[in-house]
Amino acid sequence: MTDLRKTVETFWAAAEARDWDTFTGTLAEDAVYTLPQTRERISGRERFVRFNREYPGDWHLRIERIVAEPGQVVSWVHFTVGLEEMYSIAFFTGDEHGRISAMTDFWPEPYEPPAGREHLVERY
């Protein structure tokens, strides 16, 4: 089995470089991309590639961390679009060839903490 961690690293590097041929090569033909917060699902490699290729704005990414075990990878990625910054936490599943067969992508929104715990925390 091919190392899925390397596949995910290649996936993100190809996305940043807008190298859509390499990006396509990281995906299984029947790859499924799921966005739970918007309740969207994209089925199939070609639609997944097109979704990324057509995504608006001059976005850029930097991998913060990758955690991997056989067949499963989690990535934490920092994105910028102009002055806007956001993070993605994505869970990847691989197929028997080490390609990405499923990706579930969470985009957490920052928010202010509830009052009453200021004495326990340090804001950064």
Side-chain angles (χ1 to χ4, degrees):
M1 178 181 283
T2 304
D3 183 2
L4 184 59
R5 180 189 180 108
K6 289 181 183 174
T7 301
V8 170
E9 289 170 347
T10 300
F11 169 90
W12 286 126
E16 172 62 24
R18 311 306 195 266
D19 178 353
W20 302 118
D21 289 335
T22 300
F23 185 89
T24 300
T26 66
L27 302 170
E29 182 71 35
D30 59 350
V32 176
Y33 178 54
T34 304
L35 295 130
Q37 289 158 302
T38 58
R39 296 183 322 273
E40 296 174 288
R41 181 172 293 126
I42 298 170
S43 297
R45 177 172 53 202
E46 295 311 314
R47 291 173 63 97
F48 189 12
V49 172
R50 186 172 175 187
F51 176 84
N52 283 276
R53 184 183 296 210
E54 294 178 5
Y55 201 86
D58 184 26
W59 51 270
H60 294 280
L61 67 91
R62 177 185 72 240
I63 297 171
E64 295 288 329
R65 185 172 182 187
I66 291 180
V67 178
E69 63 179 47
Q72 301 283 323
V73 173
V74 178
S75 68
W76 172 28
V77 178
H78 175 261
F79 284 86
T80 58
V81 181
L83 297 177
E84 187 178 7
E85 295 185 43
M86 59 202 87
Y87 290 91
S88 161
I89 300 169
F91 294 81
F92 296 85
T93 302
D95 69 7
E96 65 274 5
H97 304 290
R99 294 173 303 198
I100 297 164
S101 60
M103 178 181 176
T104 302
D105 203 2
F106 294 91
W107 292 84
E109 294 285 333
Y111 63 93
E112 289 302 310
R117 58 187 188 197
E118 299 84 4
H119 64 289
L120 299 172
V121 301
E122 174 186 334
R123 296 295 303 271
Y124 62 93

